[in-house]
Amino acid sequence: MRSRRLFAVSLGLLTVVTTACSGTAESDASVTSSALTMSFGDFVSKAELTLPSGDRPAPLVVLVGGSGPEDLNADDASDGATSRGHLFADVARSLADEGFAALRYNKHYVNGLGDIDPRFGTELTMSQLVDDVHSAVNAVANDPRIDPRWVYLYGWSEGTTVAAAAATGIPNLRGIILQGVVGIPWREGLIAQWERVVRPYLRNFAVDGSVGAAELSRAWHGDGGVVAHELIGVLGDDVSSERTVVNPTFDPDGNGRIDLDNELPTAAVRFVDEQLAGGVFRLYGAPSALPDVTAQATALRDLPVLTLHGENDSNVSVDAATRLDRALAANGSRDHTLRTYPRSGHSLSEASDLQHDPIGPIRPEPLIDLGRWLRDHESR
C-alpha cells in the first residue's frame, strides 16, 4: 500500500542461466543465483532463483512484491529508487544463508528498473498477480535443486493480499510470511496516510495552520520519508522548483493556501476516492481489489503465518498487523506469530517516526526472526 507509486496458468521455465549472485550475495561464492524467464500469459517476466550451498534440494520461498511497478529486487521501477535499498535481494540472500531457496521476479508488465510496459497502468489486475504467484511456483517445481514439498510465500505490502489469495492454490504450501501487511481495507489505509503522516509533517512548515507554495516546496525538499515526500507532490505542481503552484483540488476557497484542519482532510478523502474509482489506485477499488488480509483470515487459519511489521510504518499502521493477528486467533488459527519492530518502517529499515520512513535497507532483526521461524517450521 505504497502511495509513492503515483503514476499512471504457468507455461513453465523458459530459460535458466547460472550466474554469480548479485547484490549482497556477491561476497559469498557458496550462494549462487540462476537467472530465469517465466511466462505470465501475455507477459514474460525476468526472475532470479537464489540458492544456498550444498547438494540437498532446498525448500522454496517465493517473494511477492508490493504496489507499483516493482522489479525483482522490490525496487520501484517508476522512479529508479536504487538508493533506498533492495529489500528482496537482501531477503533472498538471508534466506540462502539459512538454507532456503528464494525466487523473486519482475512484476507483471515490468521489464526492469525504469522499463515499464504501458499496460501496467491500464490493464493490470490483481487476479493476474495471484495467477503470477502460481506460475512462479510451477516454473521451478521440477528444478532438482528445489524441494517442491516445502514451499512458502513471502508477501510485502500489496503483496500480502496477493500472497494470501494465492495460498489456497498451492498444495504443498507450508507457511506464509507477511511484511507490512495490508490488514485494513484499502480505502481506510490510503486515507490514514494523510492523517498519520502528511498532516503532522506539514505542521512543521505551516504558517498559521496552512501551507502555500513556498511551504510546500520547503516541505518537499525537507527530510520527510517516502509517503510524506510523495504525497506532498500531489498537493502542488512543480513542488521541486520555485514555480510551485498549489493544487486547486486541495484549495477549495482558492486563496492559494491549504488549511491543514479545514481543507486538507476533506480534500484528501476526495482525492483517494477519485483515484480508487479509476486513477492511480484503481487496482484497489471495487470490483478489482483483493480483500485486505484480515478479511482473508478464515482462509489462512490452517496455515502457519508469520507477520513482520514496523511500528513506524508510514504506509500501513502497525494496528493493521494487530488486527490481522486477532482475526487469525478468532478464526481458530493455532500457528500465527506477530513480530513488531520499534523504530522500523515499511521496509523494516530504520525509521525514526512515521513522517521519516525512508523505505531503506531491512534491519538485521527481522531477518533473524524470519530465519528462526522457517527453521523451526521445517523441523516439524
Side-chain angles (χ1 to χ4, degrees):
M1 188 184 288
R2 273 161 287 173
S3 54
R4 68 189 177 100
R5 315 317 181 109
L6 295 172
F7 87 7
V9 169
S10 169
L11 294 182
L13 183 61
L14 303 181
T15 306
V16 181
V17 181
T18 302
T19 64
C21 192
S22 61
T24 56
E26 289 178 341
S27 61
D28 187 351
S30 65
V31 174
T32 60
S33 289
S34 291
L36 319 176
T37 58
M38 299 185 298
S39 174
F40 289 162
D42 65 341
F43 177 73
V44 176
S45 173
K46 294 179 182 178
E48 190 166 308
L49 181 65
T50 304
L51 295 155
S53 60
D55 298 327
R56 180 176 70 95
L60 175 68
V61 182
V62 178
L63 306 182
V64 185
S67 60
E70 284 192 347
D71 72 352
L72 56 84
N73 290 329
D75 293 326
D76 182 353
S78 67
D79 57 18
T82 57
S83 63
R84 290 177 181 159
H86 313 287
L87 175 64
F88 277 4
D90 293 339
V91 171
R93 166 56 193 270
S94 180
L95 289 169
D97 287 342
E98 296 290 346
F100 293 81
L103 178 63
R104 61 194 198 277
Y105 52 88
N106 286 345
K107 198 171 180 178
H108 209 115
Y109 298 137
V110 175
N111 296 309
L113 199 59
D115 185 1
I116 310 157
D117 189 302
R119 291 175 292 175
F120 183 92
T122 59
E123 298 183 19
L124 182 65
T125 66
M126 297 200 84
S127 62
Q128 280 180 310
L129 299 178
V130 174
D131 291 342
D132 293 347
V133 175
H134 296 151
S135 296
V137 173
N138 291 337
V140 296
N142 295 321
D143 191 313
R145 300 167 297 180
I146 298 298
D147 187 341
R149 301 169 302 170
W150 292 88
V151 178
Y152 299 87
L153 297 181
Y154 186 120
W156 180 36
S157 193
E158 173 195 283
T160 62
T161 68
V162 176
T168 56
I170 303 174
N172 293 325
L173 191 65
R174 299 303 182 109
I176 186 168
I177 303 102
L178 305 168
Q179 178 187 334
V181 64
V182 181
I184 56 178
W186 295 101
R187 181 176 185 271
E188 178 183 339
L190 291 167
I191 292 172
Q193 291 177 353
W194 291 91
E195 289 298 311
R196 297 168 59 242
V197 181
V198 179
R199 276 215 297 166
Y201 180 70
L202 284 175
R203 291 195 190 281
N204 299 315
F205 304 89
V207 176
D208 295 330
S210 69
V211 293
E215 291 83 19
L216 286 178
S217 184
R218 286 198 294 271
W220 192 88
H221 285 98
D223 63 350
V226 169
V227 168
H229 181 268
E230 297 204 5
L231 285 183
I232 287 168
V234 173
L235 296 178
D237 297 327
D238 292 327
V239 290
S240 63
S241 73
E242 296 180 355
R243 301 185 301 274
T244 301
V245 177
V246 174
N247 184 342
T249 299
F250 296 87
D251 177 26
D253 65 7
N255 70 346
R257 302 190 67 80
I258 302 171
D259 188 299
L260 299 185
D261 296 319
N262 298 314
E263 292 181 323
L264 183 56
T266 301
V269 171
R270 186 184 306 115
F271 169 79
V272 169
D273 286 341
E274 289 174 352
Q275 299 307 314
L276 286 170
V280 292
F281 300 144
R282 67 173 185 83
L283 274 182
Y284 313 137
S288 61
L290 290 171
D292 67 82
V293 183
T294 298
Q296 300 186 58
T298 300
L300 299 178
R301 64 187 176 188
D302 296 325
L303 192 67
V305 178
L306 171 64
T307 304
L308 309 172
H309 212 104
E311 294 180 12
N312 287 340
D313 188 325
S314 61
N315 287 263
V316 57
S317 169
V318 69
D319 292 340
T322 302
R323 192 181 301 187
L324 168 62
D325 198 60
R326 290 173 178 167
L328 290 169
N331 279 277
S333 171
R334 297 183 179 180
D335 191 346
H336 57 100
T337 302
L338 171 60
R339 294 279 184 267
T340 65
Y341 302 91
R343 295 183 62 83
S344 297
H346 194 51
S347 64
L348 297 177
S349 66
E350 177 76 21
S352 59
D353 56 40
L354 294 174
Q355 292 78 51
H356 298 85
D357 180 0
I359 316 294
I362 188 170
R363 300 175 73 180
E365 294 86 352
L367 294 175
I368 293 170
D369 288 341
L370 170 63
R372 184 181 295 118
W373 186 86
L374 285 168
R375 290 194 307 272
D376 176 63
H377 283 78
E378 189 187 18
S379 65
R380 295 182 182 183

